[in-house]
Amino acid sequence: MEFWLRVTRSQITKEIRAGRTDTWAAFALVVRLFREAMRKRAAGDERLWGDLLRYAQDVVDRTPGA
C-alpha cells in the first residue's frame, strides 16, 4: 500500500505542476468512493464493492503496464 501511495503522490505532484489542478478533486472523489464501498461492504451491502472491483479490473486489464 505504501508503494502505491508514494507513486500516486508523485504523479499528483507532477499533474499539479503541469496545471491540471482538478487532479486533487479527482483523487478525493476516488478515495471517497473507495471508503464508501468499504463502509457499505462492512454493513452487509457488497454491491458497490463488487461494482468497483469489476470496473477497476476492467480498466487495469485494458491498460497493460499501468
Side-chain angles (χ1 to χ4, degrees), residues 23-41 48-49 52:
T23 304
W24 286 118
F27 180 71
L29 284 171
V30 168
V31 171
R32 288 175 62 194
L33 172 61
F34 184 74
R35 291 185 63 207
E36 182 63 13
M38 287 193 302
R39 188 188 69 75
K40 285 190 172 206
R41 182 174 70 158
L48 179 58
W49 183 258
L52 182 61

Side-chain angles (χ1 to χ4, degrees), residues 1-43:
M1 181 176 75
E2 293 296 323
F3 168 76
W4 289 112
L5 289 172
R6 278 194 309 274
V7 169
T8 302
R9 190 168 120 191
S10 175
Q11 187 64 41
I12 288 172
T13 299
K14 290 175 186 174
E15 291 287 308
I16 298 299
R17 287 182 183 151
R20 294 183 285 272
T21 56
D22 61 341
T23 304
W24 286 118
F27 180 71
L29 284 171
V30 168
V31 171
R32 288 175 62 194
L33 172 61
F34 184 74
R35 291 185 63 207
E36 182 63 13
M38 287 193 302
R39 188 188 69 75
K40 285 190 172 206
R41 182 174 70 158

